Amino acid sequence: MSVNESHGSPHRQTSMRTPLGRVRSLGPSHSGTTDFWRQRITAVALVLLIVPVILVVMMLLGRNQAGAAQILGSPMVAIVMLLFIGASAWHMKIGMQVVIEDYVHNEMAKLAAIMANNFFSIAVALASIYAILKLSSGV
């Protein structure tokens, strides 16, 4: 009697893969660690961008709109601010989605909260990007 026959299945195939190898990159939605890595990448981007953003904010202190438009009119400053807005909005969206998925147990409420989170993140990003572009273009 072979090993497979002793377990009740004479045609059962055995796999050489470990249990971890069989489930690697497969989370509940089969997307694996995509959101985990995206959140870590945006966190690193925010760490790198926070010093220039703090410097820009310090330069803006005490200025009127014309002074702010002059500072934000610099292409490099506007690019740094736009990168910061994009990274922070994406990081915020992913972080709140994780909280919602972990702590909201009613499926309908979870779906509504995730949709609201997506719309809110997009609205914040678009409003911020519009403000930077408007100030940087001098219109």
Side-chain angles (χ1 to χ4, degrees):
M1 181 156 87
S2 73
V3 173
N4 286 339
E5 291 173 353
S6 67
H7 291 289
S9 174
H11 301 291
R12 183 175 173 211
Q13 294 179 349
T14 58
S15 172
M16 297 299 286
R17 297 181 74 184
T18 64
L20 179 62
R22 286 192 296 272
V23 299
R24 188 174 302 270
S25 299
L26 296 176
S29 65
H30 302 287
S31 62
T33 57
T34 304
D35 280 343
F36 173 85
W37 282 111
R38 285 182 181 161
Q39 190 167 27
R40 292 335 180 250
I41 289 169
T42 56
V44 169
L46 289 171
V47 166
L48 296 174
L49 290 168
I50 194 68
V51 172
V53 168
I54 289 173
L55 292 174
V56 169
V57 169
M58 288 174 60
M59 290 187 320
L60 292 172
L61 289 176
R63 304 262 180 157
N64 58 11
Q65 185 175 356
Q70 182 182 10
I71 291 171
L72 293 172
S74 166
M76 189 57 82
V77 171
I79 289 171
V80 167
M81 295 301 286
L82 291 172
L83 289 172
F84 183 77
I85 290 166
S88 60
W90 198 356
H91 188 77
M92 175 183 65
K93 178 213 166 287
I94 295 170
M96 280 306 301
Q97 183 170 334
V98 169
V99 170
I100 291 166
E101 289 171 350
D102 287 346
Y103 295 107
V104 178
H105 301 295
N106 181 317
E107 289 301 317
M108 290 302 287
K110 184 184 296 188
L111 178 63
I114 289 174
M115 288 174 62
N117 179 47
N118 289 338
F119 288 129
F120 179 75
S121 300
I122 291 169
V124 166
L126 289 177
S128 302
I129 289 168
Y130 174 75
I132 294 294
L133 291 176
K134 185 169 174 98
L135 280 173
S136 67
S137 67
V139 175

